[in-house]
Amino acid sequence: MENILAQAKKVAEEAEVFLVSAEETTVQFEANRLKHIQTKQSTHLALRIVKEGRLGYATTTEPGDTHSLVDNAAETAQFGMRAKFELPSPTTYPHIDIFDPAVESSSIGKMSQLGEELIALITEHTPDIICEAMVAKEIISLRIINSRGGQASYRKGIFSLGIMGSLIRGTDMLFVGEIQSSGHPLTQPREVARVVLKQLELAKNQASVPTKQLPVIFTPRGVASALIPSLMIAFNGKTVLEGASPIGNRLGQPVFDPKLWLWDDPTVAYRPHSRPCDDEGIPSQRTTLIEQGKVANFLYDLQTAALAGTNSTGNGSRGGGLPTPSPTTLIIAPGKTTFDEMVSDIKEGLVIEQLMGAEQGNILGGDFSGNVLLGYKVESGKIVGRVKNTMVSGNVYQVLKEVTAIGSQAEWVGGVVNTPPLYCPRLPVASK
Amino acid sequence: MTDIQAVGRQLAEAIKGYSADYIEARLEESQKSHITYRGRELESVGQSTAVGGNIRALVKGGWGFVSFNRLSDLPGRIELAVKQAMLVGREESKLAPVEPIVDIVSPEIDKNPLAIPLSEKKQLLDEYNDIIWRTPKLQTSVIGYADSHKKTIFLNSSGSYIQQERADITLRLSAVAAEDGEVQQVGLSLGSRGNFSSIRGLHQPVEEMARHAVELLSAPQVKGREYTVVLDPVLAGVFVHEAFGHLSESDFVYENDRLRQIMVLGKKFGSRELNIVDSAALPGLRGSYKYDDEGVPATKTYLIREGKLVGRLHSRETAAKMNEAPTGNARAINYHFPPIVRMTNTYIEPGSASFDEIIADIKEGVYAKNWFGGTTSMEMFTFSAGEAYMIRNGKLAEALRPVVLTGNVFTTLNNIDAIGNDLEMNQGGGCGKGGQMPLPVSNGSPHIRIRQCLVGGR
């Protein structure tokens, strides 16, 4: 890496070398039995340079091939955006617990056993269900060095345990599932099974809803599938900078229900997206996005922050390309109402666990519209069964402007979103 | 860059002599470039190179898979794949027989988009961005261009050795209009199997796209309920992919007895006019190839013929387990992943109706155009239109906000009651499955009319 940096400094004013290596092992089950074991090794090296004031960028999987990497970066710098930021100088980083050696030492035998136990818990409850399960461990090593002497590195372990079950009766198909991720090995298949078994129980009977406005409870998984995608775009500093975020000029103003708090936090110990610094070497921090319903902050990387005249929030992330602002772990603060209290408050309504296709509409404007892949009808304060062939539409800003209640119990969804259930007074529902 | 041909020759020797039922290896070298614009400015331009490979082993029905960028210690990686397969295998290995093939597929060098200078690509994108920005009330634009060229070597323990090359181009443009806190966007997605000239000359569609985004600011949202819906060829292509294509991928079916009963060959799904095909053997499309990633020759497969289920897409394993012929549909997005059953170029064959005939007797309906997205859970699926219009008394009427449509595979195909004569293939799509996304595919259809289609709305 030092050699690449030295070569790059010969052709450019500034340079940064980013290296990420990953080792991943996955045990996969198909049709209720062990089917596949995979091991993946990968190396990704990215060179970012500032040459004559412009950004150049190239990546390779072969760190030894310095010459063509530097050439490729220099060629792109002819056309690149003007760099408005300075790469970080040496700095101190917060200590964040993200590496548990027990993840790395989890054996394939133990992982297979976990998957088998998980499937057994589900098939004991519903013998004719067919499950796919996965148990995975991943060790990620990351290092960044730059021409201002800045350097950062960390190692992270992520362990995941997930299952998807399909239950087919006639031409009726029910899909249930849950995936959990952590920086510690997940050793309790019961905790994953509990979510799936509850879905199976609630979906035992079928029910239908009329086409009209109905009160809706989004479960934590429902919040993540229907509402979070729009918010992620709206709070992205880049969307704000372009003037395309509906809340971009509402900083400090009440836009959401005053009960609502949302923040981005890469510093929570042992979460999959936690880290001491972002992918540009900026120290991690917790950033409040919604405070008592008011827009509090947006998420920035170095370049976007410089263009917007503010500071990076440490949200520069790379998905193979140049860094761009991305959320890490999103957390919605719990409220005071239990899920059961919400249900018992509803005369006729809907509980949404999974909305399919919600992110396909105009999510930039906050619109969502999707098929209720997993959801339940509420009648006179009780869940009576699963609904099908039902569409729910709405707008995130209208939905979150007036929330009837926020749930008292938050749950992790996929290890990266932590949210309680949200109870909304009315949404348009269309059904067959 | 490392010479993968030399590594391939070593590997062909090295995979001999292991106690596995089957071993295969894939090696890949690729170059990519991308240019993105957000707003008026070019945001990112980059170039990348990658080399990698994988080994897959089958022992007693269990699979082991090892992927890597470091091409050192190949014997160790083969051993690991075999060991993992042994840990899994408890049954009998079944793979549909395929003759060993040795073939160096000649490259289409004139179509390598990486050979075109970045400045030429940038100039074209600048022209498109200027057109978008000339539109009043336009808030911002996003343009993403990407191209790639890839050389792959496949070899297996039965003696196959296949070298193939492919180039790919995608271009996605979107225009965002805003007024009084309302934000609307319209997009255009294009793709090509490496032919850069196919994305030239789009000035008029780009201008229409930008104008339409502004029009949507004052467009009403449809009322959510059932409508008679007419889909344009682009959206109907997404529809056939989501509504039926995924259900015909037999890795969902082969070990699920109940699904096998539902998906029994001969079952009626639609009218006698309905024919659905998947074919990687069509030349020059984004889903086209000569051999799939298990070294099986591409085929043209009828999935539905005259309304009845007549075929499905297979890997060697699913074909063997269902006692059907392999179709050459095992694909991997890159060397990080094992091949799984995927679609290639999927389309509804043309019928006889003209567009005017299709809408003539619709009193109140929705005309949905252009692609925004789509997803399926097998039984139920959703797909969303980039543009939508009301149809009133047999004529196109006011523009609507983009709509999301949903259906049920067991009823919606049966509700198709008119199929147009104007088949078009759309190359702008990318398909996601099992974490492998976006895989180059193409979809196509003529205009189709669906009765009683559920549309989400206010």
mmCIF file of all heavy atoms in Angstrom, chain A residues 33 35 37 39-43 59 61-62 128 168 175 238 242 360 362 371 388 432, chain B residues 2 38 43 48 51 65 67 69 84 91 183 226 258 317 336 372 377 379 406 452:
data_model
loop_
_atom_site.group_PDB
_atom_site.id
_atom_site.type_symbol
_atom_site.label_atom_id
_atom_site.label_comp_id
_atom_site.label_asym_id
_atom_site.label_seq_id
_atom_site.Cartn_x
_atom_site.Cartn_y
_atom_site.Cartn_z
ATOM 1 N N ARG A 33 -32.461 -29.302 4.573
ATOM 2 C CA ARG A 33 -31.227 -30.021 4.880
ATOM 3 C C ARG A 33 -29.986 -29.338 4.313
ATOM 4 O O ARG A 33 -30.066 -28.531 3.399
ATOM 5 C CB ARG A 33 -31.315 -31.476 4.425
ATOM 6 C CG ARG A 33 -31.581 -31.652 2.963
ATOM 7 C CD ARG A 33 -31.931 -33.124 2.705
ATOM 8 N NE ARG A 33 -31.815 -33.420 1.292
ATOM 9 C CZ ARG A 33 -32.776 -33.171 0.407
ATOM 10 N NH1 ARG A 33 -33.914 -32.619 0.781
ATOM 11 N NH2 ARG A 33 -32.598 -33.459 -0.854
ATOM 12 N N LYS A 35 -26.876 -28.262 2.356
ATOM 13 C CA LYS A 35 -26.720 -28.404 0.914
ATOM 14 C C LYS A 35 -25.386 -27.876 0.400
ATOM 15 O O LYS A 35 -24.835 -28.374 -0.580
ATOM 16 C CB LYS A 35 -27.867 -27.632 0.239
ATOM 17 C CG LYS A 35 -27.871 -27.663 -1.267
ATOM 18 C CD LYS A 35 -28.326 -29.006 -1.776
ATOM 19 C CE LYS A 35 -28.187 -29.061 -3.300
ATOM 20 N NZ LYS A 35 -28.568 -30.363 -3.824
ATOM 21 N N ILE A 37 -21.569 -25.591 1.365
ATOM 22 C CA ILE A 37 -20.671 -24.819 2.228
ATOM 23 C C ILE A 37 -19.792 -23.968 1.319
ATOM 24 O O ILE A 37 -19.205 -24.483 0.355
ATOM 25 C CB ILE A 37 -19.798 -25.730 3.119
ATOM 26 C CG1 ILE A 37 -20.692 -26.567 4.056
ATOM 27 C CG2 ILE A 37 -18.825 -24.883 3.947
ATOM 28 C CD1 ILE A 37 -19.931 -27.581 4.885
ATOM 29 N N THR A 39 -16.783 -20.827 0.934
ATOM 30 C CA THR A 39 -15.750 -19.966 1.518
ATOM 31 C C THR A 39 -15.352 -18.956 0.467
ATOM 32 O O THR A 39 -15.058 -19.332 -0.671
ATOM 33 C CB THR A 39 -14.514 -20.801 1.923
ATOM 34 O OG1 THR A 39 -14.940 -21.818 2.811
ATOM 35 C CG2 THR A 39 -13.491 -19.933 2.625
ATOM 36 N N LYS A 40 -15.386 -17.690 0.827
ATOM 37 C CA LYS A 40 -15.051 -16.651 -0.149
ATOM 38 C C LYS A 40 -13.944 -15.766 0.387
ATOM 39 O O LYS A 40 -14.079 -15.204 1.461
ATOM 40 C CB LYS A 40 -16.276 -15.792 -0.459
ATOM 41 C CG LYS A 40 -17.399 -16.573 -1.116
ATOM 42 C CD LYS A 40 -18.596 -15.684 -1.379
ATOM 43 C CE LYS A 40 -19.696 -16.486 -2.076
ATOM 44 N NZ LYS A 40 -20.865 -15.653 -2.328
ATOM 45 N N GLN A 41 -12.877 -15.650 -0.384
ATOM 46 C CA GLN A 41 -11.794 -14.722 -0.044
ATOM 47 C C GLN A 41 -11.827 -13.601 -1.060
ATOM 48 O O GLN A 41 -11.916 -13.862 -2.264
ATOM 49 C CB GLN A 41 -10.449 -15.474 -0.094
ATOM 50 C CG GLN A 41 -9.212 -14.594 0.034
ATOM 51 C CD GLN A 41 -8.712 -14.070 -1.302
ATOM 52 O OE1 GLN A 41 -8.728 -14.777 -2.305
ATOM 53 N NE2 GLN A 41 -8.277 -12.812 -1.315
ATOM 54 N N SER A 42 -11.784 -12.349 -0.610
ATOM 55 C CA SER A 42 -11.745 -11.271 -1.581
ATOM 56 C C SER A 42 -10.865 -10.124 -1.112
ATOM 57 O O SER A 42 -10.726 -9.872 0.084
ATOM 58 C CB SER A 42 -13.149 -10.754 -1.880
ATOM 59 O OG SER A 42 -13.695 -10.156 -0.739
ATOM 60 N N THR A 43 -10.256 -9.467 -2.063
ATOM 61 C CA THR A 43 -9.389 -8.319 -1.823
ATOM 62 C C THR A 43 -9.823 -7.221 -2.780
ATOM 63 O O THR A 43 -10.027 -7.482 -3.959
ATOM 64 C CB THR A 43 -7.918 -8.682 -2.163
ATOM 65 O OG1 THR A 43 -7.584 -9.870 -1.476
ATOM 66 C CG2 THR A 43 -6.974 -7.570 -1.768
ATOM 67 N N THR A 59 -9.686 1.012 -9.257
ATOM 68 C CA THR A 59 -9.631 -0.101 -8.299
ATOM 69 C C THR A 59 -9.043 -1.332 -8.967
ATOM 70 O O THR A 59 -9.043 -1.451 -10.198
ATOM 71 C CB THR A 59 -11.025 -0.482 -7.755
ATOM 72 O OG1 THR A 59 -11.746 -1.183 -8.777
ATOM 73 C CG2 THR A 59 -11.823 0.735 -7.314
ATOM 74 N N THR A 61 -8.087 -5.827 -8.005
ATOM 75 C CA THR A 61 -8.032 -6.931 -7.041
ATOM 76 C C THR A 61 -6.594 -7.417 -6.896
ATOM 77 O O THR A 61 -6.335 -8.329 -6.135
ATOM 78 C CB THR A 61 -8.889 -8.117 -7.510
ATOM 79 O OG1 THR A 61 -8.440 -8.509 -8.806
ATOM 80 C CG2 THR A 61 -10.356 -7.732 -7.574
ATOM 81 N N GLU A 62 -5.699 -6.822 -7.682
ATOM 82 C CA GLU A 62 -4.302 -7.258 -7.645
ATOM 83 C C GLU A 62 -3.407 -6.122 -7.147
ATOM 84 O O GLU A 62 -2.912 -5.320 -7.941
ATOM 85 C CB GLU A 62 -3.853 -7.686 -9.047
ATOM 86 C CG GLU A 62 -4.594 -8.905 -9.532
ATOM 87 C CD GLU A 62 -3.997 -9.443 -10.816
ATOM 88 O OE1 GLU A 62 -4.082 -8.779 -11.851
ATOM 89 O OE2 GLU A 62 -3.441 -10.553 -10.760
ATOM 90 N N ASP A 128 -45.029 -29.398 7.597
ATOM 91 C CA ASP A 128 -44.961 -29.372 6.134
ATOM 92 C C ASP A 128 -44.302 -28.107 5.571
ATOM 93 O O ASP A 128 -44.368 -27.850 4.374
ATOM 94 C CB ASP A 128 -46.353 -29.588 5.513
ATOM 95 C CG ASP A 128 -47.403 -28.667 6.106
ATOM 96 O OD1 ASP A 128 -47.132 -28.066 7.167
ATOM 97 O OD2 ASP A 128 -48.492 -28.547 5.519
ATOM 98 N N ILE A 168 -46.861 -24.213 1.450
ATOM 99 C CA ILE A 168 -47.720 -24.195 0.272
ATOM 100 C C ILE A 168 -48.900 -25.132 0.494
ATOM 101 O O ILE A 168 -48.721 -26.295 0.836
ATOM 102 C CB ILE A 168 -46.909 -24.634 -0.967
ATOM 103 C CG1 ILE A 168 -45.775 -23.630 -1.193
ATOM 104 C CG2 ILE A 168 -47.800 -24.729 -2.199
ATOM 105 C CD1 ILE A 168 -44.817 -24.024 -2.266
ATOM 106 N N PHE A 175 -44.973 -17.109 2.973
ATOM 107 C CA PHE A 175 -43.534 -17.006 3.201
ATOM 108 C C PHE A 175 -43.294 -16.333 4.537
ATOM 109 O O PHE A 175 -43.835 -15.274 4.816
ATOM 110 C CB PHE A 175 -42.869 -16.203 2.084
ATOM 111 C CG PHE A 175 -42.967 -16.886 0.757
ATOM 112 C CD1 PHE A 175 -44.037 -16.632 -0.085
ATOM 113 C CD2 PHE A 175 -42.012 -17.816 0.386
ATOM 114 C CE1 PHE A 175 -44.144 -17.289 -1.294
ATOM 115 C CE2 PHE A 175 -42.116 -18.472 -0.819
ATOM 116 C CZ PHE A 175 -43.178 -18.211 -1.667
ATOM 117 N N LYS A 238 -26.265 14.298 -0.022
ATOM 118 C CA LYS A 238 -26.166 14.506 -1.463
ATOM 119 C C LYS A 238 -27.524 14.867 -2.062
ATOM 120 O O LYS A 238 -27.626 15.764 -2.898
ATOM 121 C CB LYS A 238 -25.655 13.205 -2.084
ATOM 122 C CG LYS A 238 -24.770 13.424 -3.251
ATOM 123 C CD LYS A 238 -24.158 12.114 -3.679
ATOM 124 C CE LYS A 238 -22.652 12.229 -3.667
ATOM 125 N NZ LYS A 238 -22.014 11.019 -4.204
ATOM 126 N N GLU A 242 -28.546 18.594 -3.790
ATOM 127 C CA GLU A 242 -29.150 18.750 -5.117
ATOM 128 C C GLU A 242 -30.505 19.423 -5.064
ATOM 129 O O GLU A 242 -31.111 19.679 -6.099
ATOM 130 C CB GLU A 242 -29.381 17.369 -5.743
ATOM 131 C CG GLU A 242 -28.128 16.670 -6.112
ATOM 132 C CD GLU A 242 -28.367 15.196 -6.363
ATOM 133 O OE1 GLU A 242 -29.465 14.680 -6.037
ATOM 134 O OE2 GLU A 242 -27.469 14.565 -6.886
ATOM 135 N N GLN A 360 -40.270 0.625 -4.898
ATOM 136 C CA GLN A 360 -40.293 0.764 -6.352
ATOM 137 C C GLN A 360 -40.953 2.037 -6.857
ATOM 138 O O GLN A 360 -40.872 2.335 -8.025
ATOM 139 C CB GLN A 360 -41.047 -0.406 -6.986
ATOM 140 C CG GLN A 360 -40.277 -1.692 -6.932
ATOM 141 C CD GLN A 360 -41.176 -2.843 -7.267
ATOM 142 O OE1 GLN A 360 -42.236 -2.663 -7.848
ATOM 143 N NE2 GLN A 360 -40.760 -4.027 -6.907
ATOM 144 N N ASN A 362 -42.052 6.329 -6.227
ATOM 145 C CA ASN A 362 -41.317 7.589 -6.146
ATOM 146 C C ASN A 362 -40.809 7.767 -4.719
ATOM 147 O O ASN A 362 -41.328 8.573 -3.955
ATOM 148 C CB ASN A 362 -42.268 8.721 -6.573
ATOM 149 C CG ASN A 362 -41.680 10.094 -6.328
ATOM 150 O OD1 ASN A 362 -40.470 10.279 -6.383
ATOM 151 N ND2 ASN A 362 -42.545 11.059 -6.051
ATOM 152 N N ASN A 371 -47.443 -4.495 -2.151
ATOM 153 C CA ASN A 371 -48.303 -5.630 -1.846
ATOM 154 C C ASN A 371 -47.947 -6.123 -0.440
ATOM 155 O O ASN A 371 -46.780 -6.264 -0.103
ATOM 156 C CB ASN A 371 -48.026 -6.713 -2.895
ATOM 157 C CG ASN A 371 -48.881 -7.947 -2.720
ATOM 158 O OD1 ASN A 371 -49.044 -8.447 -1.610
ATOM 159 N ND2 ASN A 371 -49.401 -8.469 -3.802
ATOM 160 N N LYS A 388 -54.224 -11.234 2.052
ATOM 161 C CA LYS A 388 -53.512 -11.458 0.782
ATOM 162 C C LYS A 388 -54.101 -10.560 -0.288
ATOM 163 O O LYS A 388 -55.187 -10.027 -0.132
ATOM 164 C CB LYS A 388 -53.672 -12.923 0.353
ATOM 165 C CG LYS A 388 -52.761 -13.869 1.098
ATOM 166 C CD LYS A 388 -52.983 -15.290 0.645
ATOM 167 C CE LYS A 388 -52.569 -15.489 -0.802
ATOM 168 N NZ LYS A 388 -52.733 -16.890 -1.215
ATOM 169 N N LYS A 432 -58.397 -7.154 -3.434
ATOM 170 C CA LYS A 432 -59.182 -7.870 -4.434
ATOM 171 C C LYS A 432 -60.323 -8.571 -3.757
ATOM 172 O O LYS A 432 -60.128 -9.160 -2.708
ATOM 173 C CB LYS A 432 -58.296 -8.917 -5.102
ATOM 174 C CG LYS A 432 -57.828 -8.476 -6.458
ATOM 175 C CD LYS A 432 -57.165 -9.616 -7.225
ATOM 176 C CE LYS A 432 -57.721 -9.616 -8.615
ATOM 177 N NZ LYS A 432 -56.837 -9.166 -9.647
ATOM 178 N N THR B 2 -2.708 -10.735 -14.283
ATOM 179 C CA THR B 2 -2.378 -12.160 -14.322
ATOM 180 C C THR B 2 -2.981 -12.816 -15.567
ATOM 181 O O THR B 2 -4.093 -12.499 -15.975
ATOM 182 C CB THR B 2 -2.968 -12.859 -13.072
ATOM 183 O OG1 THR B 2 -2.562 -12.143 -11.938
ATOM 184 C CG2 THR B 2 -2.499 -14.296 -12.975
ATOM 185 N N ARG B 38 -24.434 13.602 -11.124
ATOM 186 C CA ARG B 38 -25.565 13.974 -10.278
ATOM 187 C C ARG B 38 -25.698 15.468 -10.426
ATOM 188 O O ARG B 38 -24.748 16.199 -10.170
ATOM 189 C CB ARG B 38 -25.318 13.603 -8.817
ATOM 190 C CG ARG B 38 -25.620 12.138 -8.539
ATOM 191 C CD ARG B 38 -25.378 11.828 -7.099
ATOM 192 N NE ARG B 38 -26.522 12.207 -6.294
ATOM 193 C CZ ARG B 38 -27.300 11.330 -5.664
ATOM 194 N NH1 ARG B 38 -27.058 10.047 -5.755
ATOM 195 N NH2 ARG B 38 -28.310 11.741 -4.939
ATOM 196 N N GLU B 43 -20.028 13.468 -11.408
ATOM 197 C CA GLU B 43 -19.783 13.184 -10.002
ATOM 198 C C GLU B 43 -18.632 12.208 -9.816
ATOM 199 O O GLU B 43 -17.791 12.356 -8.943
ATOM 200 C CB GLU B 43 -21.032 12.599 -9.349
ATOM 201 C CG GLU B 43 -20.796 12.229 -7.916
ATOM 202 C CD GLU B 43 -21.861 11.309 -7.380
ATOM 203 O OE1 GLU B 43 -22.192 10.297 -8.028
ATOM 204 O OE2 GLU B 43 -22.376 11.614 -6.316
ATOM 205 N N SER B 48 -11.746 0.054 -13.270
ATOM 206 C CA SER B 48 -11.301 -1.010 -12.383
ATOM 207 C C SER B 48 -10.920 -2.258 -13.153
ATOM 208 O O SER B 48 -11.400 -2.488 -14.260
ATOM 209 C CB SER B 48 -12.385 -1.333 -11.348
ATOM 210 O OG SER B 48 -13.542 -1.795 -11.988
ATOM 211 N N VAL B 51 -9.362 -9.764 -11.147
ATOM 212 C CA VAL B 51 -9.037 -11.137 -11.520
ATOM 213 C C VAL B 51 -9.492 -12.019 -10.368
ATOM 214 O O VAL B 51 -9.333 -11.647 -9.209
ATOM 215 C CB VAL B 51 -7.516 -11.320 -11.720
ATOM 216 C CG1 VAL B 51 -7.180 -12.773 -11.964
ATOM 217 C CG2 VAL B 51 -7.018 -10.471 -12.871
ATOM 218 N N PHE B 65 -17.827 -24.859 -2.161
ATOM 219 C CA PHE B 65 -17.511 -23.780 -3.100
ATOM 220 C C PHE B 65 -16.484 -22.855 -2.461
ATOM 221 O O PHE B 65 -16.632 -22.452 -1.309
ATOM 222 C CB PHE B 65 -18.784 -22.997 -3.425
ATOM 223 C CG PHE B 65 -18.564 -21.809 -4.333
ATOM 224 C CD1 PHE B 65 -18.505 -21.966 -5.708
ATOM 225 C CD2 PHE B 65 -18.417 -20.528 -3.800
ATOM 226 C CE1 PHE B 65 -18.305 -20.881 -6.552
ATOM 227 C CE2 PHE B 65 -18.224 -19.431 -4.644
ATOM 228 C CZ PHE B 65 -18.169 -19.610 -6.022
ATOM 229 N N SER B 67 -14.205 -19.323 -3.419
ATOM 230 C CA SER B 67 -13.870 -18.269 -4.383
ATOM 231 C C SER B 67 -12.728 -17.427 -3.857
ATOM 232 O O SER B 67 -12.511 -17.345 -2.647
ATOM 233 C CB SER B 67 -15.083 -17.391 -4.679
ATOM 234 O OG SER B 67 -15.358 -16.543 -3.589
ATOM 235 N N ASN B 69 -9.548 -14.093 -4.954
ATOM 236 C CA ASN B 69 -8.828 -13.199 -5.869
ATOM 237 C C ASN B 69 -7.380 -13.613 -5.991
ATOM 238 O O ASN B 69 -6.746 -13.370 -6.994
ATOM 239 C CB ASN B 69 -8.736 -11.762 -5.345
ATOM 240 C CG ASN B 69 -10.058 -11.105 -5.192
ATOM 241 O OD1 ASN B 69 -10.408 -10.688 -4.113
ATOM 242 N ND2 ASN B 69 -10.772 -11.009 -6.282
ATOM 243 N N GLN B 84 -15.219 -29.437 2.009
ATOM 244 C CA GLN B 84 -16.522 -28.869 2.364
ATOM 245 C C GLN B 84 -17.658 -29.698 1.765
ATOM 246 O O GLN B 84 -18.669 -29.954 2.424
ATOM 247 C CB GLN B 84 -16.609 -27.423 1.872
ATOM 248 C CG GLN B 84 -15.701 -26.485 2.660
ATOM 249 C CD GLN B 84 -15.751 -25.054 2.164
ATOM 250 O OE1 GLN B 84 -16.171 -24.790 1.050
ATOM 251 N NE2 GLN B 84 -15.317 -24.132 2.986
ATOM 252 N N GLU B 91 -26.048 -37.978 0.326
ATOM 253 C CA GLU B 91 -26.962 -38.671 -0.594
ATOM 254 C C GLU B 91 -26.204 -39.120 -1.830
ATOM 255 O O GLU B 91 -25.041 -39.460 -1.763
ATOM 256 C CB GLU B 91 -28.100 -37.714 -0.980
ATOM 257 C CG GLU B 91 -28.870 -37.230 0.232
ATOM 258 C CD GLU B 91 -29.734 -36.024 -0.073
ATOM 259 O OE1 GLU B 91 -29.857 -35.673 -1.260
ATOM 260 O OE2 GLU B 91 -30.266 -35.427 0.870
ATOM 261 N N VAL B 183 -41.866 16.240 -5.044
ATOM 262 C CA VAL B 183 -40.747 15.769 -5.853
ATOM 263 C C VAL B 183 -41.226 14.630 -6.744
ATOM 264 O O VAL B 183 -41.890 13.711 -6.278
ATOM 265 C CB VAL B 183 -39.585 15.268 -4.957
ATOM 266 C CG1 VAL B 183 -38.440 14.745 -5.808
ATOM 267 C CG2 VAL B 183 -39.090 16.383 -4.057
ATOM 268 N N GLU B 226 -59.191 -2.215 -8.643
ATOM 269 C CA GLU B 226 -58.942 -3.020 -9.840
ATOM 270 C C GLU B 226 -59.279 -2.229 -11.098
ATOM 271 O O GLU B 226 -60.267 -1.502 -11.130
ATOM 272 C CB GLU B 226 -59.806 -4.281 -9.814
ATOM 273 C CG GLU B 226 -59.300 -5.308 -8.833
ATOM 274 C CD GLU B 226 -60.099 -6.603 -8.892
ATOM 275 O OE1 GLU B 226 -61.190 -6.609 -9.503
ATOM 276 O OE2 GLU B 226 -59.640 -7.586 -8.352
ATOM 277 N N ARG B 258 -44.800 -29.941 -3.026
ATOM 278 C CA ARG B 258 -46.069 -29.229 -3.237
ATOM 279 C C ARG B 258 -45.970 -28.308 -4.440
ATOM 280 O O ARG B 258 -46.909 -28.190 -5.223
ATOM 281 C CB ARG B 258 -46.413 -28.421 -1.987
ATOM 282 C CG ARG B 258 -46.784 -29.324 -0.835
ATOM 283 C CD ARG B 258 -47.997 -28.781 -0.100
ATOM 284 N NE ARG B 258 -48.447 -29.766 0.859
ATOM 285 C CZ ARG B 258 -48.379 -29.598 2.168
ATOM 286 N NH1 ARG B 258 -47.907 -28.470 2.664
ATOM 287 N NH2 ARG B 258 -48.794 -30.535 2.980
ATOM 288 N N GLU B 317 -28.120 -29.919 -12.067
ATOM 289 C CA GLU B 317 -28.644 -30.658 -10.918
ATOM 290 C C GLU B 317 -30.175 -30.686 -10.912
ATOM 291 O O GLU B 317 -30.781 -31.737 -10.712
ATOM 292 C CB GLU B 317 -28.128 -30.045 -9.615
ATOM 293 C CG GLU B 317 -28.575 -30.856 -8.392
ATOM 294 C CD GLU B 317 -28.054 -30.312 -7.068
ATOM 295 O OE1 GLU B 317 -27.808 -29.092 -6.968
ATOM 296 O OE2 GLU B 317 -27.913 -31.128 -6.131
ATOM 297 N N HIS B 336 -17.267 -14.629 -7.583
ATOM 298 C CA HIS B 336 -17.546 -14.746 -6.144
ATOM 299 C C HIS B 336 -18.672 -15.732 -5.846
ATOM 300 O O HIS B 336 -18.870 -16.124 -4.709
ATOM 301 C CB HIS B 336 -17.985 -13.398 -5.558
ATOM 302 C CG HIS B 336 -16.869 -12.441 -5.331
ATOM 303 N ND1 HIS B 336 -15.828 -12.731 -4.496
ATOM 304 C CD2 HIS B 336 -16.626 -11.209 -5.824
ATOM 305 C CE1 HIS B 336 -14.990 -11.712 -4.488
ATOM 306 N NE2 HIS B 336 -15.444 -10.776 -5.294
ATOM 307 N N PHE B 372 -39.938 0.692 -13.797
ATOM 308 C CA PHE B 372 -39.367 1.304 -12.592
ATOM 309 C C PHE B 372 -38.763 0.217 -11.704
ATOM 310 O O PHE B 372 -37.710 0.358 -11.152
ATOM 311 C CB PHE B 372 -40.446 2.075 -11.848
ATOM 312 C CG PHE B 372 -39.925 3.283 -11.131
ATOM 313 C CD1 PHE B 372 -40.023 4.526 -11.704
ATOM 314 C CD2 PHE B 372 -39.335 3.153 -9.898
ATOM 315 C CE1 PHE B 372 -39.509 5.631 -11.063
ATOM 316 C CE2 PHE B 372 -38.824 4.255 -9.244
ATOM 317 C CZ PHE B 372 -38.911 5.497 -9.830
ATOM 318 N N SER B 377 -42.796 -12.824 -5.009
ATOM 319 C CA SER B 377 -42.681 -13.815 -3.947
ATOM 320 C C SER B 377 -43.180 -15.148 -4.482
ATOM 321 O O SER B 377 -43.692 -15.962 -3.752
ATOM 322 C CB SER B 377 -43.536 -13.402 -2.753
ATOM 323 O OG SER B 377 -44.891 -13.656 -3.047
ATOM 324 N N GLU B 379 -45.914 -16.492 -5.684
ATOM 325 C CA GLU B 379 -47.351 -16.439 -5.925
ATOM 326 C C GLU B 379 -47.784 -15.017 -6.262
ATOM 327 O O GLU B 379 -48.453 -14.766 -7.254
ATOM 328 C CB GLU B 379 -48.112 -16.921 -4.673
ATOM 329 C CG GLU B 379 -49.615 -16.918 -4.879
ATOM 330 C CD GLU B 379 -50.389 -17.078 -3.583
ATOM 331 O OE1 GLU B 379 -49.782 -17.101 -2.508
ATOM 332 O OE2 GLU B 379 -51.624 -17.164 -3.667
ATOM 333 N N THR B 406 -50.059 -4.972 -8.876
ATOM 334 C CA THR B 406 -49.760 -6.246 -8.232
ATOM 335 C C THR B 406 -50.634 -7.328 -8.826
ATOM 336 O O THR B 406 -51.692 -7.050 -9.404
ATOM 337 C CB THR B 406 -49.945 -6.141 -6.704
ATOM 338 O OG1 THR B 406 -49.369 -7.300 -6.097
ATOM 339 C CG2 THR B 406 -51.401 -6.076 -6.313
ATOM 340 N N GLN B 452 -58.921 -6.829 -14.675
ATOM 341 C CA GLN B 452 -58.965 -6.936 -13.204
ATOM 342 C C GLN B 452 -57.582 -6.988 -12.559
ATOM 343 O O GLN B 452 -57.262 -7.916 -11.827
ATOM 344 C CB GLN B 452 -59.755 -8.182 -12.783
ATOM 345 C CG GLN B 452 -61.212 -8.103 -13.165
ATOM 346 C CD GLN B 452 -61.917 -9.424 -12.937
ATOM 347 O OE1 GLN B 452 -61.449 -10.478 -13.376
ATOM 348 N NE2 GLN B 452 -63.011 -9.364 -12.233
#
